Amino acid sequence: MSNSLMGDLKWRGLLYQQTDEEGLTKVVNDEKISLYCGVDPTADSMHIGHIVPLLTLRRFQNHGHRPILLVGGATGMIGDPSGRSEERQLQTTEQIAKNVEGITKQMQRIFDFETENGALMVNNNDWIGGMSTIEFLRDYGKLLGVNYMLAKDNVASRLESGISFTEFSYMLIQGIDFNHLYTNYGCRVQIGGSDQWGNITTGLEVIRKVQEDDEAKAFGITIPLVTKADGTKFGKTAGGAVWLDAEKTSPYEFYQFWVNTADADVIKYLKIFTFIERAEIEALEVSVQEEAHLRKAQRTLAEEMTRLIHGQEALDQAIRISQALFSGDLKALSVNEMRDAFKDVPSAEMPKEDKNIVDFIVEAGISSSKRQGREDVNNGAISVNGERIKDTQYIISAEDRLEDQFTIVRRGRRNYTMVKFS
């Protein structure tokens, strides 16, 4: 099995639970099947924690299987209790529609929609939204016993803190989804994160009951939670989640997140997130062990992920910003690129007025005193927007205010400050 798709998934650490490992492996190896993964539109963008099941689904597409991408226009109105200690805040119909649109665009970057096994995009609101309460209770509510549902981890873990009937019913609605896709699209497999095991197995139970077939050949797979070697949470930065939306996390910030991956994590992430072949990953593993200072594995990871999510042009821009910051040559950057690059550096606020360079850097907290400021300027340690200033009489004026809003000052080789003007 080592050369098979399932063998590759196991090598990459992407298999956590399977409902029938032997049966699933046989089906995947012998047939071309449809599989699905669902994403609820809880925000107008996914973050990098969302995409591991989706990238796993893409691996099946690369092996000739057909992915079905379900955006939960209906389940997003309910709220999944999995992995949460309290109820989700219900969203408006308008917000959910906006979220669906944003998530759909991001899925379209990850999957191929044009080939014979092109991805299919569906929204469960199309078959759940028009269902009456009586239909729901008569056709599906009788399929599962309350004791069966209470035993599921995603419900059991919430019994003490409290769970509404709304969220309690979530697993049954997701089970309706799996049955609908099984019946109408021949969908045989659901893929999800490790917290989705209860929902997935409920779907299999719904299929078995509705189809009245104990031998119904549907399967479930869950993916392990991605963790960091140091125990801190994956996918978080000082600024919060790493989003796929370029407006929330710029391509440069996205690129830098992956470049800054620890040596202890980078090979694991190359396996999980990229489509690079095993031989290349193993070669990069040797590089981490023998020439870690070159950071080849981190740069490969950053390039692969930024190209996948944002495209080649955005990757080229992210690399250009990185190189400009490393060299100190900011003149190669546009104003917008500077704004992205220095979004998280220390900042100071100053009034819009002409000011002597020494007074300017002292008031901005860049140099500790006027004496130190004069030394810094005389020694060539101060650069303004990429231009080295060696004249202590230099006046910071409107020409130095980029878009009349900010100035980038560098002290030494790596200490940047964004001075914002009020």
Side-chain angles (χ1 to χ4, degrees):
M1 188 172 102
S2 59
N3 295 322
S4 69
L5 169 58
M6 299 303 289
D8 183 62
L9 295 179
K10 185 171 286 188
W11 174 76
R12 290 177 183 273
L14 288 169
L15 297 178
Y16 183 60
Q17 294 162 300
Q18 300 175 63
T19 55
D20 175 3
E21 181 177 351
E22 185 178 343
L24 177 60
T25 300
K26 179 171 173 46
V27 166
V28 168
N29 287 342
D30 296 349
E31 303 177 32
K32 299 300 182 188
I33 61 171
S34 293
L35 314 86
Y36 99 95
C37 180
V39 176
D40 278 344
T42 53
D44 59 3
S45 171
M46 294 184 285
H47 56 69
I48 56 175
H50 287 127
I51 63 174
V52 180
L54 294 173
L55 294 176
T56 304
L57 189 59
R58 176 64 208 245
R59 296 181 200 282
F60 280 89
Q61 183 177 36
N62 291 349
H63 279 75
H65 303 289
R66 187 185 195 191
I68 300 175
L69 311 171
L70 185 150
V71 182
T75 39
M77 295 185 188
I78 301 300
D80 184 357
S82 304
R84 294 182 65 86
S85 58
E86 57 187 25
E87 291 272 320
R88 292 181 185 272
Q89 188 73 36
L90 292 180
Q91 300 186 87
T92 65
T93 304
E94 293 75 20
Q95 183 60 52
I96 288 173
K98 181 175 180 285
N99 294 351
V100 167
E101 183 181 356
I103 289 172
T104 299
K105 287 178 181 174
Q106 291 168 355
M107 285 184 169
Q108 288 168 343
R109 291 205 70 96
I110 296 173
F111 291 88
D112 178 0
F113 286 80
E114 304 300 325
T115 54
E116 185 180 351
N117 64 322
L120 177 68
M121 185 80 68
V122 297
N123 184 331
N124 62 10
N125 195 51
D126 292 343
W127 57 87
I128 300 289
M131 187 182 296
S132 72
T133 306
I134 297 299
E135 283 179 288
F136 172 68
L137 293 175
R138 277 185 60 87
D139 296 343
Y140 297 101
K142 61 183 174 57
L143 298 179
L144 303 177
V146 171
N147 287 345
Y148 173 90
M149 299 173 74
L150 289 174
K152 295 295 183 182
D153 287 345
N154 50 349
V155 170
S157 63
R158 285 280 298 280
L159 291 178
E160 193 170 320
S161 61
I163 183 171
S164 68
F165 178 76
T166 300
E167 289 198 0
F168 180 67
S169 68
Y170 183 94
M171 72 170 81
L172 179 54
I173 295 174
Q174 193 177 115
I176 296 171
D177 288 344
F178 199 172
N179 179 67
H180 177 88
L181 298 179
Y182 179 89
T183 302
N184 293 279
Y185 300 100
C187 179
R188 305 284 295 281
V189 181
Q190 182 181 358
I191 294 177
S194 56
D195 62 341
Q196 292 299 305
W197 182 248
N199 293 329
I200 291 172
T201 52
T202 297
L204 297 174
E205 182 69 4
V206 170
I207 289 172
R208 190 176 69 81
K209 294 282 186 67
V210 172
Q211 305 296 329
E212 297 181 340
D213 179 6
D214 288 340
E215 302 301 316
K217 289 299 180 186
F219 306 88
I221 302 173
T222 62
I223 315 299
L225 180 70
V226 180
T227 56
K228 293 172 70 172
D230 65 5
T232 58
K233 192 167 184 180
F234 168 77
K236 294 285 187 180
T237 67
V242 180
W243 299 94
L244 306 194
D245 185 337
E247 296 296 317
K248 295 178 183 291
T249 300
S250 72
Y252 167 72
E253 293 173 289
F254 190 82
Y255 177 85
Q256 284 298 316
F257 171 81
W258 299 105
V259 161
N260 290 325
T261 300
D263 289 346
D265 292 317
V266 66
I267 299 303
K268 175 182 176 179
Y269 294 173
L270 282 166
K271 291 177 180 179
I272 292 172
F273 289 97
T274 78
F275 297 96
I276 296 172
E277 296 293 335
R278 181 170 182 165
E280 185 177 349
I281 290 177
E282 289 175 341
L284 288 167
E285 187 168 17
V286 173
S287 177
V288 171
Q289 293 164 355
E290 298 181 356
E291 48 184 19
H293 63 285
L294 297 180
R295 298 186 72 76
K296 285 182 181 178
Q298 282 88 345
R299 288 205 311 276
T300 301
L301 175 63
E303 288 170 10
E304 290 291 320
M305 292 307 300
T306 307
R307 184 185 295 112
L308 175 68
I309 300 302
H310 295 294
Q312 185 64 45
E313 187 177 340
L315 170 60
D316 293 342
Q317 182 188 58
I319 292 173
R320 188 167 66 252
I321 293 174
S322 300
Q323 290 173 340
L325 294 188
F326 184 78
S327 67
D329 181 17
L330 303 191
K331 291 175 286 186
L333 302 180
S334 69
V335 173
N336 284 336
E337 287 172 341
M338 281 198 196
R339 187 181 283 108
D340 277 349
F342 297 104
K343 187 174 170 184
D344 296 321
V345 301
S347 64
E349 291 204 7
M350 305 268 285
K352 286 182 183 175
E353 57 185 41
D354 292 356
K355 196 174 287 287
N356 172 270
I357 182 66
V358 175
D359 294 335
F360 183 81
I361 59 178
V362 171
E363 289 180 32
I366 295 164
S367 296
S368 57
S369 66
K370 286 194 176 184
R371 178 183 174 186
Q372 183 63 56
R374 285 191 292 271
E375 282 186 22
D376 288 340
V377 174
N378 285 326
N379 293 336
I382 300 296
S383 294
V384 174
N385 298 331
E387 293 279 359
R388 183 167 295 178
I389 306 297
K390 300 187 74 173
D391 178 5
T392 56
Q393 301 306 309
Y394 183 85
I395 301 297
I396 297 290
S397 65
E399 291 182 4
D400 300 302
R401 296 197 289 268
L402 302 175
E403 292 189 343
D404 205 33
Q405 293 178 2
F406 66 94
T407 295
I408 302 298
V409 180
R410 187 185 76 190
R411 178 174 182 263
R413 294 194 63 191
R414 293 282 179 272
N415 296 317
Y416 288 96
T417 301
M418 175 185 275
V419 180
K420 301 174 183 178
F421 296 98
S422 54

